[in-house]
Amino acid sequence: MRKNIIVTIAAAALIIGAHYAGVTGFLEQWVTRVLAPVERGLFGAGEQLDQAYESRVNEPDYRALAERFREENERLLADNVKLQLLKEENRTLRQQLNFYSKHEYNKKFVNVIGRGDPLSNRQIITIDAGKEDGLQPGLPLVADDGVFVGKVFAVEAGIAHAYVLTDERCQVAAGISGRMETEGLVVGENGLASRFTLVPQDQPLEEGEVVVTSGLEPGVPAGLIIGTVQEVARESNDVFQSAVISPSVRLSDVNVLSVVLP
Amino acid sequence: MSYRVFFQWFGLFLALVAVFVLQYSLVPFLPGSLRLLQLPIVVVVVLYLLQLPTLALYAAVGFGILLDIAFPQPFGVHLVSLLACAIVAFVLLQTVFTNRSLYSFMAITAIVSVLFMALFALLSWLASLFTGDALLYNWAFYARAGGITAIWHAVGIAALYYLVLFWHTRFV
């Protein structure tokens, strides 16, 4: 074996020497040419293998990606809701500021913190201002650009409760905008609508007219918008006529309001 | 030379070429550290395992020549490195790991794998001194490659050891 090793080493040295002497050039070219087709074939297979592996390794984890997108979507939806609320709040405050810039009323901005009273089926809202803020029963709640929403009926420390316009207990003296001689009383009706009642038959009352507070009631200034006349009910043998009022705001949507203080 | 011997040599030649082609065209595309595999080293050790030491030497020379033709390193780098590995493996088998156990072959494989990478790096570096790019040599890469190939080759030899054992007990 030792002899074989020596012979092999010698052969290797000879081959290397021959290469650098340029003797084996044609042989190397021949080997390269003969093997080239096989190498090309395997090279293609190798590339495909490499691409398959790379695509496998770099393939995103779609499940994790979907989960991440779902979480992000939920977060964005929550953000969007918050932004919508802020936008709405901003719009409301702007309208109310616009309203108060035209009138010399004392005011207190309040947030609606509760709505409805399921146990008594009353149409009420709870606001985050109370006795210490100067609130007292009978004061009007105003939304947007001077829209009458309801009346405070109970005041506690830190909070107050108010009837909204559709509650039967909510009554306010009203008239037709621009024609205040047409007077009456707006009363809530079954928690669903409001009715402009006790309007004398001899007073004109037409659909589409705007009903506003008349100011005859202490604590409630004149000119707060209640709604528009939707349908007039007039009986010839009746002393008074009445009309269904369509509120100027969706009462279920109001969140930021103001209370007109005395 | 009888036909039998001729066909044996021809078969060996074809096997060498096949391993060379795999090494040249397929191994570089294997994923991760598998692309560092040096199949000729494994083949040389397997030939020792099959008790064909002379053939192992010739195979080392054959692989060395083919790889030197195919790869851009200066001619002789593969040849010298592989031949040195084959000789060292033989010496180790004769002197240190004489019991021819699985662990002996795994140890020999690991040692010659590291040796191959060290020699390859050293010879390439020496050659690069003449070409002027010696400063760019990444010794850390070769050190890491030596360790990785030692592990992969040893694992491969373990698998082939059992294959040879199975073949030997079943067919010989």
Side-chain angles (χ1 to χ4, degrees), chain A residues 1-2 4-5 7-9 12-13 15-16 19-20 27-28 31-32 35 38-40 42-43 45-47 49-50 53-54, chain B residues 17 20-22 24-26 29-32 35 48 53-54 57-58 61 65-66 69-70 74-76 79-80 83 87 90:
Chain A
M1 184 62 191
R2 184 174 291 175
N4 276 341
I5 292 174
V7 169
T8 315
I9 291 172
I15 290 165
I16 293 170
H19 168 82
Y20 286 108
L27 205 63
E28 291 168 16
V31 171
T32 311
L35 293 179
V38 186
E39 285 167 358
R40 265 200 298 273
L42 268 180
F43 179 80
E47 269 196 330
L49 184 76
D50 190 44
Y53 175 74
E54 287 295 324
Chain B
V17 171
F20 158 74
V21 171
L22 284 175
Y24 181 67
S25 305
L26 205 63
F29 295 104
L30 289 177
R35 61 185 58 182
Y48 281 122
T54 310
L57 287 175
Y58 294 162
V61 172
I65 293 168
L66 289 172
I69 291 172
F75 193 91
L79 177 53
V80 172
L83 186 57
I87 293 168
F90 176 74

Side-chain angles (χ1 to χ4, degrees), chain B residues 14 20 27-28 46-47 58 66-67 70 76 87 91 95 129 132 147 170:
Chain B
L14 286 182
F20 158 74
V27 170
V46 166
L47 288 172
Y58 294 162
L66 289 172
L67 291 171
I87 293 168
V91 172
T95 56
L129 288 177
R170 179 65 70 91

Side-chain angles (χ1 to χ4, degrees), chain A residues 28-258:
Chain A
E28 291 168 16
Q29 278 180 12
W30 180 80
V31 171
T32 311
R33 204 173 297 145
V34 167
L35 293 179
V38 186
E39 285 167 358
R40 265 200 298 273
L42 268 180
F43 179 80
E47 269 196 330
Q48 284 177 358
L49 184 76
D50 190 44
Q51 281 172 6
Y53 175 74
E54 287 295 324
S55 61
R56 179 81 180 180
V57 165
N58 296 328
E59 191 178 58
D61 184 349
Y62 289 114
R63 197 181 293 270
L65 210 59
E67 180 63 20
R68 192 160 63 81
F69 284 148
R70 193 185 61 76
E71 284 172 6
E72 200 169 316
N73 190 39
E74 280 176 5
R75 187 179 58 75
L76 288 171
L77 276 174
D79 285 352
N80 195 31
V81 169
K82 278 183 202 165
L83 287 171
Q84 289 290 342
L85 285 173
L86 282 172
K87 186 181 169 189
E88 181 60 25
E89 195 175 308
N90 187 33
R91 187 188 65 80
T92 308
L93 285 169
R94 276 174 183 278
Q95 284 179 332
Q96 295 213 358
L97 282 172
N98 182 43
F99 169 70
Y100 285 108
S101 68
K102 296 174 196 161
H103 303 87
E104 294 294 320
Y105 301 137
N106 290 325
K107 62 193 176 292
K108 169 70 183 167
F109 287 111
V110 295
N111 291 298
V112 175
I113 56 172
R115 203 186 297 273
D117 182 5
L119 293 177
S120 65
N121 198 27
R122 291 185 297 183
Q123 302 294 304
I124 66 167
I125 53 176
T126 305
I127 54 177
D128 62 350
K131 281 179 186 164
E132 62 278 16
D133 299 298
L135 267 63
Q136 56 193 54
L139 295 180
L141 277 174
V142 177
D144 296 346
D145 200 356
V147 177
F148 180 84
V149 170
K151 276 165 76 174
V152 175
F153 72 89
V155 181
E156 297 169 29
I159 60 166
H161 305 285
Y163 293 125
V164 296
L165 205 53
T166 51
D167 190 280
E168 290 169 18
R169 298 165 191 80
C170 186
Q171 300 181 348
V172 62
I176 296 296
S177 176
R179 190 157 39 82
M180 292 304 280
E181 64 273 16
T182 305
E183 290 175 344
L185 189 70
V186 172
V187 186
E189 200 171 59
N190 303 321
L192 298 170
S194 302
R195 183 171 286 275
F196 187 29
T197 59
L198 301 178
V199 181
Q201 284 275 14
D202 59 341
Q203 298 294 328
L205 187 60
E206 301 297 330
E207 286 179 17
E209 286 184 311
V210 177
V211 181
V212 296
T213 55
S214 62
L216 294 176
E217 189 177 337
V220 179
L224 299 178
I225 301 162
I226 297 173
T228 50
V229 175
Q230 198 174 14
E231 186 184 336
V232 180
R234 192 179 292 127
E235 297 291 336
S236 55
N237 58 348
D238 208 343
V239 182
F240 300 107
Q241 56 183 332
S242 68
V244 175
I245 307 287
S246 170
S248 293
V249 291
R250 279 170 62 92
L251 297 171
S252 58
D253 287 349
V254 291
N255 288 310
V256 179
L257 301 168
S258 58

Side-chain angles (χ1 to χ4, degrees), chain B residues 75-135:
Chain B
F75 193 91
V77 170
H78 284 96
L79 177 53
V80 172
S81 304
L82 278 172
L83 186 57
C85 286
I87 293 168
V88 168
F90 176 74
V91 172
L92 287 172
L93 265 174
Q94 296 298 311
T95 56
V96 185
F97 303 107
T98 53
N99 65 354
R100 303 183 64 83
S101 68
L102 167 67
Y103 302 109
S104 298
F105 278 104
M106 286 177 76
I108 289 168
T109 309
I111 290 167
V112 295
S113 298
V114 173
L115 177 72
F116 173 83
M117 212 49 86
L119 276 174
F120 183 85
L122 185 67
L123 291 172
S124 301
W125 177 71
L126 283 174
S128 71
L129 288 177
F130 296 99
T131 57
D133 61 350
L135 284 175

Side-chain angles (χ1 to χ4, degrees), chain B residues 140-155:
Chain B
F141 167 77
Y142 286 110
R144 196 161 48 87
I148 290 167
T149 51
I151 294 167
W152 278 123
H153 293 168
V155 170

